[in-house]
Amino acid sequence: MFYATAPAFDLSPVRLNYVAALRGVLPINPESSFLYAQTGGFDLDAFLCLAASNPQGLFYGVKGDEVDAAQAMALAKKVTNVTFVAKNEQLPTSLTYLCCDQTETVATAQEREALFALAQNHLAASGLLAYRYRAYNNADESLSFLIKEYAPEMTAVQAQEFLTEIKTLGVSYFTDHPIAQAALEKAIVAQTPDSFFDLCGSVGESPSGTLETMAGLLPRDFSFVGDADYGANYLELAAPTSSHETLSQCREHLLYEPIKDFALQRLFRNDIWVKRPAEQTADPAALFGRFTFGITTPKDRVPTTHTTQGGTISFATPLFMRLIDLMCTLPVGIGDFLNHPAGHGMDQDEVVAAIHVLVACGIAQPMRTHYEGKIDNSHRAPAWATAFNSYLTDTTIASPSVRLASSIVGESLTLSARDALVLQAIHRVGLSLSAGALLPELQRLVQKNPALAAKIMDTTTPTDEMVHNIITDVAARGLVGWYAYGLLAA
């Protein structure tokens, strides 16, 4: 079963809850009802699929005007838990989640103020704000910002020490900016920090969107909980090794996040904030016991190692191997694993830590629940588990991938065109007759989209034998997963 990689920043409730749980914020029960709103730029199809994947929630999308909102509602006929409005003010209060994407340009002060006021007035206590935004126009601005913040108040000795710290933090930056690197080395040797400050600290106003966001949200009773990019929450994975000591020393500093932006060469941020008062706990079972974890990549494609900024993580240990074996079959919870023969004798804390590593490395992903029921061995006329996915029944597949809703994962799953064609054929006529339904689709694809057809077939002309082999291969890899991830109903 091959699923294309999930979007890196899907902003699903599961993702937001998991990141917040890493900071001790108690996640809501995955079966509890909630209110979710999306403003700023967002993909309509992805939003509808997200809503269809979370039937217990009510989803609100803010479009540009009344016409856009009406058009979006017209396209959402099969997704009954979605409402589109024309203005932020039309959103309900007591939201559980508020998400905004402002990544095209650096937000103006007015745009930030409007969003932060919206979050303050419309989010419930313990509600999560997911804010994707452009923090800097370019990497030069992140360095210039730090210089302008620190240099004016430094003594000569402090300025010289600052140059050394900038050198250790900016390995990635200076690799891409040799002129700045040469100026830095010269200033360090000659002990003339002002020469470097004059060269690299004169990039316009050089504000930090990160600091502006902090200044806007902290006084409004919000606390920063982490990055929607799982791996970015771990210095060992995200930051160059040379920067670790310096970053650790300034972890409690107000400018820690802007400093980290420079070390990571991060122009875009994916902040998650929680509205205080927030319910917190240190109990791992309470924080992570309600999540399940799955691996949608075929087991033979799961890497055995992961290279980080500081070295290599090996997954060839008994704990990792047993977790991967189970997660490649079905989504499992921490308790499921500990109660399974593969988990007998394993320490709970070590299991939790290993799962966090697999998630941070992009191997596994947190999910909202797991499959319950029996798999239909006849496959005569399998039904869609979610009404949204019925669009695939009559769709002419013309792109390399297809997005489907999954109430198990809590977000969309993306199938390759090859897998989607087989799933479509099996749903139409059942497994035993699927070859007769797939052959004409492949013949049509060869005529209308030969480039895509070439990615699916090894020959230019589909034959009965080739169709049989495709169905056999895809069904053997994917059929159990289609049930396990809630694409087909038991």
Side-chain angles (χ1 to χ4, degrees):
M1 173 183 63
F2 176 70
Y3 291 108
T5 303
F9 309 109
D10 53 80
L11 301 185
S12 67
V14 172
R15 178 180 291 268
L16 306 187
N17 288 336
Y18 176 79
V19 172
L22 292 174
R23 293 291 184 93
V25 178
L26 191 69
I28 68 170
N29 188 318
E31 298 303 323
S32 297
S33 59
F34 63 82
L35 300 179
Y36 179 108
Q38 178 86 50
T39 186
F42 62 91
D43 180 88
L44 177 59
D45 290 337
F47 182 76
L48 293 176
C49 198
L50 179 63
S53 300
N54 293 273
Q56 79 283 15
L58 295 178
F59 286 74
Y60 296 83
V62 181
K63 302 300 290 183
D65 53 39
E66 297 288 352
V67 174
D68 287 345
Q71 290 176 343
M73 283 302 300
L75 295 172
K77 292 180 179 178
K78 292 184 179 180
V79 187
T80 58
N81 60 334
V82 165
T83 300
F84 290 99
V85 298
K87 299 177 182 179
N88 287 335
E89 294 74 16
Q90 295 174 297
L91 292 174
T93 55
S94 299
L95 292 171
T96 318
Y97 309 96
L98 174 62
C99 302
C100 179
D101 189 316
Q102 291 181 340
T103 51
E104 290 194 7
T105 60
V106 174
T108 65
Q110 293 77 12
E111 289 171 333
R112 280 192 296 267
E113 177 64 24
L115 173 64
F116 301 157
L118 178 69
Q120 181 180 24
N121 295 328
H122 287 255
L123 269 174
S126 287
L128 298 177
L129 169 65
Y131 183 30
R132 291 201 68 214
Y133 60 100
R134 179 186 281 271
Y136 313 90
N137 285 306
N138 52 61
D140 295 332
E141 287 188 353
S142 64
L143 173 58
S144 180
F145 167 77
L146 295 179
I147 292 173
K148 289 178 179 179
E149 284 291 318
Y150 283 104
E153 299 179 359
M154 289 181 177
T155 65
V157 173
Q158 290 172 331
Q160 196 66 21
E161 293 175 348
F162 180 71
L163 291 184
T164 303
E165 293 173 342
I166 286 293
K167 181 179 179 179
T168 62
L169 289 169
V171 171
S172 299
Y173 174 82
F174 292 116
T175 298
D176 295 333
H177 298 80
I179 295 177
Q181 182 177 30
L184 176 64
E185 297 291 355
K186 183 178 179 179
I188 291 175
V189 173
Q191 297 188 8
T192 55
D194 286 345
S195 64
F196 178 74
F197 297 157
D198 291 342
L199 175 67
C200 296
S202 58
V203 183
E205 292 295 323
S206 303
S208 166
T210 305
L211 187 62
E212 298 294 334
T213 297
M214 294 171 63
L217 288 173
L218 289 174
R220 287 184 162 95
D221 288 330
F222 279 84
S223 294
F224 178 68
V225 295
D227 196 305
D229 178 1
Y230 300 129
N233 294 293
Y234 302 89
L235 287 182
E236 298 81 359
L237 298 179
T241 305
S242 62
S243 69
H244 291 181
E245 183 178 354
T246 302
L247 286 172
S248 296
Q249 291 173 351
C250 61
R251 188 181 289 273
E252 301 302 321
H253 197 287
L254 179 63
L255 294 183
Y256 174 68
E257 288 297 327
I259 293 171
K260 192 165 67 172
D261 289 341
F262 174 64
L264 272 58
Q265 286 296 279
R266 180 167 55 183
L267 303 183
F268 299 92
R269 290 186 58 95
N270 310 284
D271 292 358
I272 301 177
W273 295 75
V274 64
K275 187 176 181 182
R276 299 190 296 267
E279 190 173 357
Q280 293 186 275
T281 181
D283 179 12
L287 290 170
F288 305 107
R290 286 174 171 167
F291 292 99
T292 61
F293 300 87
I295 299 174
T296 57
T297 303
K299 185 181 174 184
D300 59 357
R301 299 193 187 189
V302 174
T304 56
T305 61
H306 180 81
T307 301
T308 72
Q309 296 277 3
T312 300
I313 298 172
S314 173
F315 301 127
T317 67
L319 177 54
F320 278 129
M321 292 172 66
R322 293 178 188 182
L323 282 169
I324 289 171
D325 281 344
L326 283 182
M327 290 181 188
C328 283
T329 304
L330 294 169
V332 294
I334 296 170
D336 297 329
F337 177 75
L338 292 172
N339 290 324
H340 190 276
H344 285 175
M346 295 291 183
D347 180 78
Q348 174 183 296
D349 292 340
E350 292 182 359
V351 170
V352 173
I355 289 174
H356 290 334
V357 171
L358 290 173
V359 172
C361 293
I363 305 299
Q365 68 183 99
M367 300 179 181
R368 60 175 296 272
T369 186
H370 46 36
Y371 172 79
E372 295 181 5
K374 297 180 180 180
I375 293 177
D376 180 7
N377 292 321
S378 65
H379 313 301
R380 291 173 183 170
W384 295 116
T386 302
F388 174 86
N389 292 338
S390 63
Y391 83 91
L392 183 62
T393 303
D394 301 313
T395 294
T396 298
I397 296 173
S399 59
S401 61
V402 172
R403 181 188 287 122
L404 295 175
S406 169
S407 59
I408 301 295
V409 179
E411 61 170 283
S412 61
L413 279 176
T414 307
L415 272 65
S416 67
R418 188 172 186 262
D419 286 13
L421 282 164
V422 174
L423 175 58
Q424 180 187 65
I426 291 175
H427 178 265
R428 285 176 175 174
V429 297
L431 181 59
S432 61
L433 301 176
S434 58
L438 179 58
L439 181 58
E441 290 296 331
L442 292 176
Q443 291 171 334
R444 189 179 299 113
L445 195 63
V446 169
Q447 295 296 320
K448 294 186 176 181
N449 196 337
L452 179 58
K455 295 179 180 180
I456 296 172
M457 304 182 299
D458 296 328
T459 62
T460 57
T461 303
T463 63
D464 290 340
E465 181 181 4
M466 184 205 68
V467 170
H468 173 76
N469 291 338
I470 289 177
I471 292 175
T472 301
D473 174 63
V474 171
R477 292 183 295 105
L479 199 55
V480 172
W482 295 339
Y483 284 96
Y485 287 100
L487 304 184
L488 296 180

